[in-house]
Amino acid sequence: MSSIGRTFTAVLSAALLFSVALLPFWERQYHVAHALFELLCVLLALSGFIITWILFDKGSPESHLFGFGFLAVGLFTILHVCAFLGILAIPSEAPDVVCWFWLTERLVESMIFLFASPVASFRMNRWAWLFLTLLGTSAISIAFLSQPGLFPTLFLEGQGVSTTAKMVIEYGITGFFFASLIMQLRKSSLQQQGYTPQVILALLLALPVGALSNVASMHSFGSLLVHTLKVCYYYFLFKGLFAHMILSPYQELSAASERFYKIFHASPASISIVTIHGYRYVDVNDAWTKLTGYSREEVIGKTQRECGCLDRETHRAIANRPVRNIIGKFTTKSGDVREGLITTEVIELDGVPCLLYVTIDVTEKNEFERELARLDRLHLVGQVAAGIGHEIRNPLTTVRGFLQLFGAKADLVQYDEYFRLMISELDRANDIITEFLSLAKTKPKQLRLQDLNEIITSLHPLLMAQAFKKDKQLVIDLGRIPLLALDEHEIRQLLLNLVNNAMDAMKQRGTVTIRTYVDGERVLLAVRDEGEGIAEEIQSKIGTPFFTTKAHGTGLGLATCYSIVERHRGRIDYETGPKGTTFFIAFPLEAEAKGDLNIAS
């Protein structure tokens, strides 16, 4: 409150100095100066009304009372000025009409404060407010002009001295202002009720106006000070009540908008807003631009079809309705197809129905889950193989031995072809069991530091022979790589499986390329073929046990490769297209793998 007191003292002092400086002009051009002061008050009052009218739906009942109340004040002030300047015809028997308009405008001011102090709770629409305001103003004005005898005399005839009636009314109005001031000061929180210190200042400045009006003649310094103080408290009313109370929600809205903007763009989830009619992007956040590779300027105003982000099947599944956590596909600017967990909500922006998309990229998560599921299947097969593989091998070995024994007997020579066929089938069954056993998770590691390039070189003659037999070509491109923690037997099996698959995927004269090189913190082994690529519908099944596209395949070759790579703490991936497929096997560098070394004795 000390700041209010200092401001009040400063304003009162400035009003006194201003009045002293303006007094000569006031005495010479009283009518002009008086009209200018009153019209300035009219401007402030009607400005407040216009703000209330424009922002009516956003305002409170209290702000409506102030807005339309000061419309009435402004109209009474205009009539006061018109009557004072002789523009409005005044009956000869009603010389005090000018002062009656003055008192009425001040009475309305005080009553507005008095009714608003407990906080107005009644509501009407703007046209009802306007009708009642104009009706009341017109009725009172007509009564002043047509029935002057109903109202008491305000000045002693020919003396310009206030009558007792005028003094009572003026002090009554001042009492209303004082009561309003007490109510404001007793409120526990000015801000919660929409008031500001400017309102207190306005009430403090309104108090001396009534007292001075009773003792000052029209042309005196006191009258000039009254009008100066009136303009001052109108200014503080406009600033405190209208500019603050009505525009404050917009400031809060602006702050809320800024908070939303920060939250919207700082959200780790990808968010986009699209119009329902036309599917045009209204806004996207930073996470969306990072995920898709598009900039905001590239997509705002464009349709989803023009950008090509959202998969058509996903778009149909959403169908302009709220959905919760559906898996959809979208395409990035670079052409990558990714998966997202999509949630949508229908919202309205500036009267336009829109769809809010919240997308969480789950591509890596889904790939990881698919990899876990595939590995679980591998481990299950491996556990089964480990449990029964040896038990099956023993009788097979026995049967194979007796077949060899029978084949060596002279009297059974005519059955030699059958014996060899049965033995080859038993060997084939034994090979399948061997592949089963290679999937076993519990298979002991035999890792030691060695050169991957040497293993590939040692296999080169065998691989060349297979390529020659299948009318294919083999190219080996070995780069400089460090030693790796490897199990030589498993790496040989890995290479044979990958190269055999690559050769089977190509037509004659196709070329298989084997490369080794360092990529960052890993060593890559790449096996590339020149086939027609892997069909999209079977890509998710690659590496699944027993899945094969070969007429006589077991579906265990790639499954074995995945199992071997996992035991080497590596990762297997592939790129495929119409011009061929490349399988990449990433091995950790020696520093990372050293802890897993199990040096074979």
Side-chain angles (χ1 to χ4, degrees), residues 290-343:
K290 292 177 182 177
L291 182 61
T292 63
Y294 290 95
S295 65
R296 294 181 72 250
E297 293 73 18
E298 288 179 300
V299 297
I300 300 301
K302 292 187 178 180
T303 65
Q304 287 179 322
R305 178 173 295 182
E306 288 175 324
C307 295
C309 291
L310 199 63
D311 179 76
R312 288 189 178 182
E313 293 299 324
T314 304
H315 192 276
R316 292 194 194 99
I318 295 172
N320 298 336
R321 61 187 174 87
V323 297
R324 293 291 181 272
N325 299 327
I326 69 168
I327 298 295
K329 293 184 178 180
F330 58 94
T331 305
T332 66
K333 186 178 180 180
S334 60
D336 294 335
V337 178
R338 303 188 69 82
E339 294 178 311
L341 191 66
I342 301 175
T343 297

Side-chain angles (χ1 to χ4, degrees), residues 21 35 87 92 129 168-170 177 182 215 253 259 282 314 322 329 349 370 410 476 482 493 529 539 548 593:
I87 300 174
S92 57
W129 271 110
V168 170
I169 295 172
E170 287 280 13
F177 277 117
I182 297 300
V215 298
L253 181 62
R259 289 193 295 270
V282 176
T314 304
K329 293 184 178 180
L349 296 179
R370 285 192 288 266
I476 296 181
Q493 184 179 2
D529 64 56
Q539 290 180 13
T548 181

